[in-house]
Amino acid sequence: MIQLHFSPSTASMVPHILLEELGVPYERVLVDKQNGGHKTPDYLALNPNGLIPVLVDGDLVLYETAAICLHLCDTNPQAGLMPALGTPERAQAYKWLIWLTNTLQATLIVYFYPERWLKEGNAAGVAEVKAHAQARVGPLLDQLDAELARHGGPWFMGVACSALDPYVFTLCRWTRNFSSAPARERAHLGPYLRRMLERPAVQRMLANEGLSAPYF
């Protein structure tokens, strides 16, 4: 059986929602991040970077959220959660998936962990880096909002829900406590996030992870 090593409200939300959308059997393995569970020898044997999530599928051990999503879509093509191979739509899905992980998520990580880029004890520097990261996230959220406005569909790729939607929902959730202009305040992202929240797969994920409002 597939195992998802997860921690609530982290990037593991993305494959967690995706697995619920697929309806395939899987087992959740809680990683106690608060107490350093992602830095234990056993976990580092799965992911030497000490990051969450990890997916174990038989003999396959896979980390990096985008790679996990693509694997789940490729092994469950009947679900139609990615456009057909070789199509322009598939190319666009690749673009957005890589943009989400490499641009928006990477900038959010700077916001949440500014101390990683500074000497210990530099409180003023931490505050400055955090503020600059939040300012950089704003235009990226505008980009998501503009894409929803462009095609006018209910889901990020248009008419059909795809593997991108759990990713967009998760990263937008991370902005819920921003001091200004969180994702939900944008004209198209706000209604989109409410639609995502109504999806049974998202509701099951929230229950499984023990999360409560505000959800985004």
Side-chain angles (χ1 to χ4, degrees):
M1 182 181 291
I2 291 172
Q3 287 186 336
L4 175 66
H5 294 253
F6 81 105
S7 183
S9 203
T10 67
S12 58
M13 280 180 59
V14 182
H16 192 167
I17 296 171
L18 195 54
L19 284 161
E20 290 293 338
E21 291 280 5
L22 290 169
V24 297
Y26 75 100
E27 176 188 3
R28 292 181 299 278
V29 181
L30 178 64
V31 181
D32 186 0
K33 186 180 178 185
Q34 298 303 316
N35 291 306
H38 58 312
K39 301 298 184 181
T40 64
D42 285 347
Y43 191 80
L44 291 173
L46 298 174
N47 184 350
N49 304 297
L51 299 174
I52 302 166
V54 166
L55 188 88
V56 179
D57 187 359
D59 293 332
L60 175 67
V61 177
L62 195 60
Y63 50 86
E64 296 298 331
T65 302
I68 292 170
C69 290
L70 288 172
H71 170 69
L72 290 172
C73 290
D74 289 347
T75 52
N76 296 275
Q78 74 288 346
L81 289 174
M82 281 288 282
L85 283 167
T87 62
E89 292 79 14
R90 182 80 170 208
Q92 290 294 330
Y94 285 148
K95 177 195 79 175
W96 281 111
L97 184 63
I98 292 167
W99 181 89
L100 286 163
T101 187
N102 195 51
T103 302
L104 179 53
Q105 184 176 351
T107 307
L108 283 164
I109 292 298
V110 176
Y111 170 83
F112 285 111
Y113 301 102
E115 68 280 356
R116 291 178 179 176
W117 285 266
L118 297 160
K119 290 182 179 179
E120 187 175 354
N122 187 354
V126 164
E128 185 176 359
V129 170
K130 192 177 185 76
H132 279 289
Q134 180 173 338
R136 289 179 64 86
V137 168
L140 303 180
L141 295 175
D142 291 341
Q143 223 176 314
L144 294 177
D145 197 67
E147 178 63 10
L148 287 166
R150 181 191 67 78
H151 62 63
W155 309 114
F156 191 73
M157 290 292 289
V159 175
C161 190
S162 74
L164 295 180
D165 291 295
Y167 222 135
V168 174
F169 179 83
T170 296
L171 297 185
C172 285
R173 169 182 163 76
W174 291 1
T175 73
R176 67 193 182 281
N177 294 321
F178 270 21
S179 57
S180 63
R184 65 179 178 273
E185 293 185 359
R186 285 164 174 77
H188 302 279
L189 272 175
Y192 164 81
L193 293 170
R194 290 191 289 274
R195 287 192 295 273
M196 279 297 293
L197 187 60
E198 292 172 356
R199 292 189 70 85
V202 174
Q203 288 293 317
R204 290 192 295 271
M205 177 279 297
L206 293 170
N208 292 341
E209 298 199 3
L211 301 177
S212 56
Y215 296 113
F216 54 78

